[in-house]
Amino acid sequence: MDNKKVWLITGASKGLGRSLVLQLLGKGVKVAATSRSLAALEDISQDSNYLPLGVDLASEDSIQMAVAETIRQFGRIDILVNNAGYAQIGSLEELSDGEIRDNFDVNVFGLFNFTRQVLPYMRAQQSGRIFNISSIAGFTGNFPGFSSYCATKFAVDGLSESLAAEVKPFGIKVTIVSPGYFRTAFLSNSSLGVPANPLAAYESVRATQEAHQQQINGNQPGDPEKAVATIIEMADVAQPPLHLFLGQDAYEMAYKKIEAVKADLEAWKAQTVATSY
């Protein structure tokens, strides 16, 4: 791989972000890494190629300062990985306006703002790669109790598809990374929000919550080190995919959604095409 390129990775204190930082530093790559807590980043490495940055994703000023410090330290940004995010469990009726907005602030607006701040440098270089870490839950929403999280990740997929078309003339390429279940701390209390005011009527949501917290957590089939290695591989591919699904489970769920959409299209084709003048 090209170890002269500079990576900027958000949400790097744990999970896929942390693994990505460690693999890149092991290859001699320059990495700027962000997290809410600077202390959570400082134990990762003392390598001179490593720049830990404390960032408040809800503050565009904080994001702007992080991007400026990366440029000051390394002179450029070649690859942006928008990885920061968290899951919010709860039915739509249970979740408050604040809980949903907080989820969007981190998962969507933090991504928007980091990308906005980095794009002028990539545009000036006429090159760059942007990896937006979404989820299979951004492609199929068949996850009861995850309406807020699915909404944020569907937003990430939509904005990424449009962004890819917008920045193509500048030599900038965008890839949506959609993992299935990977064995990280993503389902732990630090990355999984639960509703402040749960409603007993939503039995299926409580069952989903318990399954994710008790059965799935720690037993996910995906290997995060292999996922990270694949992302690094894609950074050097001349024509990377717009959609990169990771995990056998993601592959199967994506095809199930595609087949369901195709079935609806064909079953209701007469009504669909009859609406033209």
Side-chain angles (χ1 to χ4, degrees):
M1 66 174 299
D2 187 351
N3 63 4
K4 294 180 181 178
K5 291 181 178 178
V6 176
W7 291 61
L8 172 56
I9 302 163
T10 73
S13 64
K14 56 190 174 183
L16 292 179
R18 187 182 184 94
S19 294
L20 182 55
V21 170
L22 288 169
Q23 285 198 29
L24 289 169
L25 291 175
K27 296 175 183 293
V29 176
K30 293 180 174 65
V31 181
T34 82
S35 175
R36 223 173 3 183
S37 167
L38 181 60
L41 294 171
E42 289 176 335
D43 70 331
I44 291 179
S45 177
Q46 299 301 314
D47 195 311
S48 60
N49 285 333
Y50 177 56
L51 175 63
L53 298 161
V55 174
D56 177 5
L57 283 174
S59 166
E60 190 167 9
D61 288 341
S62 179
I63 291 170
Q64 186 175 32
M65 286 189 287
V67 171
E69 180 60 19
T70 303
I71 295 295
R72 189 193 70 76
Q73 182 84 5
F74 295 135
R76 59 189 294 124
I77 297 170
D78 297 287
I79 301 163
L80 170 65
V81 183
N82 284 306
N83 173 66
Y86 72 94
Q88 175 66 58
I89 286 183
S91 70
L92 182 60
E93 187 180 354
E94 291 173 314
L95 294 177
S96 68
D97 179 83
E99 286 170 317
I100 295 172
R101 287 182 185 273
D102 286 348
N103 205 196
F104 270 82
D105 277 344
V106 173
N107 292 10
V108 180
F109 289 103
L111 183 151
F112 260 127
N113 290 332
F114 249 109
T115 305
R116 183 187 296 110
Q117 293 299 325
V118 167
L119 278 176
Y121 299 100
M122 289 186 172
R123 187 162 46 80
Q125 295 164 185
Q126 292 290 289
S127 66
R129 298 288 175 96
I130 298 171
F131 291 94
N132 288 335
I133 310 301
S134 182
S135 167
I136 186 59
F139 189 77
T140 175
N142 189 25
F143 294 95
F146 283 91
S147 55
S148 175
Y149 180 67
C150 288
T152 67
K153 292 305 185 179
F154 267 74
V156 169
D157 281 26
L159 71 89
S160 298
E161 289 184 1
S162 182
L163 177 65
E166 292 173 2
V167 300
K168 184 178 180 180
F170 309 116
I172 303 168
K173 296 180 173 64
V174 178
T175 294
I176 304 163
V177 181
S178 300
Y181 288 100
F182 278 80
R183 203 167 298 180
T184 68
F186 190 70
L187 295 179
S188 65
N189 292 338
S190 62
S191 296
L192 185 66
V194 297
N197 297 296
L199 299 174
Y202 284 95
E203 295 179 2
S204 65
V205 173
R206 295 290 77 74
T208 295
Q209 180 176 332
E210 182 180 358
H212 280 80
Q213 291 176 313
Q214 305 301 328
Q215 283 85 50
I216 299 174
N217 188 26
N219 296 302
Q220 300 95 322
D223 182 341
E225 299 304 322
K226 291 179 180 178
V228 164
T230 301
I231 294 170
I232 294 173
E233 177 189 353
M234 291 299 109
D236 283 332
V237 173
Q239 296 299 328
L242 174 57
H243 291 275
L244 176 64
F245 294 94
L246 295 178
Q248 180 71 29
D249 52 352
Y251 180 89
E252 292 172 359
M253 284 187 274
Y255 260 106
K256 188 174 181 179
K257 166 68 178 284
I258 290 166
E259 292 303 321
V261 172
K262 287 170 63 178
D264 279 348
L265 279 170
E266 296 309 314
W268 300 99
K269 180 180 178 181
Q271 287 82 357
T272 298
V273 300
T275 55
S276 302
Y277 279 107

